[in-house]
Amino acid sequence: MDEIKELVLKHEREISQLTAIQQVLVQQTEKTTETLTALKDAITEIKVSIEEQRKELKIAIEIRDKVDSINQNLLVEKNNQKQTNQKIFEKIENLEKEIEELKNRMEEISENTTFARWLDGGFKTLSKKTAVLILMALGLMILGAFLGVDLHHFIRRN
C-alpha cells in the first residue's frame, strides 16, 4: 500500500507538473495569440499605409505629368512669343524705313511747295505779260534741255 500511495503521490506530482506546464502553455498561447493579433493589426495598418502611399504616389505622378505638360506648353508659347517678337521687330524696322522714306519725300514735297509758293507769289506781283514771258522762257529752256539744244550758245549767236 505504500507503493500505491507513492504511486498516487507520484501521479499527483506529475499531474500538478502537467497542470503547471499546461498553464504555462496556455499563457504562452495567449501571449502568442496577442502577438499574432498585434502582428495582424500591424500588417493591416501597413497595407492601409501602403495603399495610401500608392494613391499619393499616383497623384504625385499625375501632378508631375501635368507640370511637365505645362512646362512643354510654356516652352512652345515662349518660342511662339520669340517668333512673334521677331516678326514685330522686323515690321517695326520696315515701318521705320518707310517713315524715313516718307520724311525724305515730305522734305522734297515741302521744298517743291516752297518753290511753287515763291513762284506763285512772284507771279502775282508781276504783270500778266511778264509772267507769261517768264513762263514761256522757262518752258523753252526745259524744252531745249530735253531736245539737247544749247540755249547759251543759241543766245550768243543772235
Side-chain angles (χ1 to χ4, degrees):
M1 225 42 212
D2 280 336
E3 282 183 21
I4 292 180
K5 279 186 181 182
E6 268 188 49
L7 202 61
V8 169
L9 283 175
K10 185 178 173 185
H11 282 307
E12 282 180 2
R13 276 185 267 156
E14 286 177 357
I15 289 175
S16 88
Q17 285 177 350
L18 287 172
T19 304
I21 291 173
Q22 184 182 11
Q23 285 177 350
V24 169
L25 285 174
V26 168
Q27 288 175 352
Q28 286 180 348
T29 304
E30 286 175 359
K31 288 181 182 180
T32 304
T33 304
E34 288 175 12
T35 303
L36 288 175
T37 304
L39 281 174
K40 180 183 169 189
D41 292 343
I43 289 172
T44 304
E45 288 180 23
I46 289 171
K47 283 183 179 180
V48 169
S49 176
I50 288 172
E51 190 61 34
E52 287 178 14
Q53 286 180 352
R54 186 176 293 151
K55 288 177 184 176
E56 290 174 0
L57 182 61
K58 184 177 178 182
I59 291 171
I61 289 171
E62 289 174 359
I63 290 172
R64 184 201 64 200
D65 291 344
K66 286 180 183 178
V67 167
D68 286 345
S69 174
I70 290 170
N71 191 25
Q72 287 293 70
N73 290 340
L74 287 175
L75 287 175
V76 168
E77 186 64 31
K78 181 181 176 183
N79 288 335
N80 289 342
Q81 189 64 37
K82 279 183 181 179
Q83 291 173 353
T84 301
N85 287 346
Q86 185 177 0
K87 288 177 184 177
I88 288 172
F89 286 131
E90 288 173 359
K91 286 182 181 180
I92 288 172
E93 288 174 357
N94 290 337
L95 285 174
E96 286 175 345
K97 289 177 185 176
E98 288 179 14
I99 288 173
E100 190 62 35
E101 290 174 6
L102 286 174
K103 281 182 181 178
N104 292 337
R105 183 72 180 132
M106 287 294 291
E107 288 177 12
E108 290 175 15
I109 291 173
S110 176
E111 290 172 4
N112 291 341
T113 305
T114 304
F115 180 68
R117 284 186 193 153
W118 178 78
L119 285 178
D120 185 41
F123 286 136
K124 283 183 183 176
T125 58
L126 296 175
S127 69
K128 289 187 181 186
K129 284 185 180 181
T130 311
V132 169
L133 287 175
I134 291 174
L135 282 176
M136 201 156 63
L138 282 173
L140 285 174
M141 287 173 64
I142 293 171
L143 182 63
F146 281 123
L147 295 175
V149 175
D150 188 5
L151 288 177
H152 196 300
H153 186 272
F154 181 73
I155 293 173
R156 283 193 178 177
R157 266 195 192 169
N158 292 333

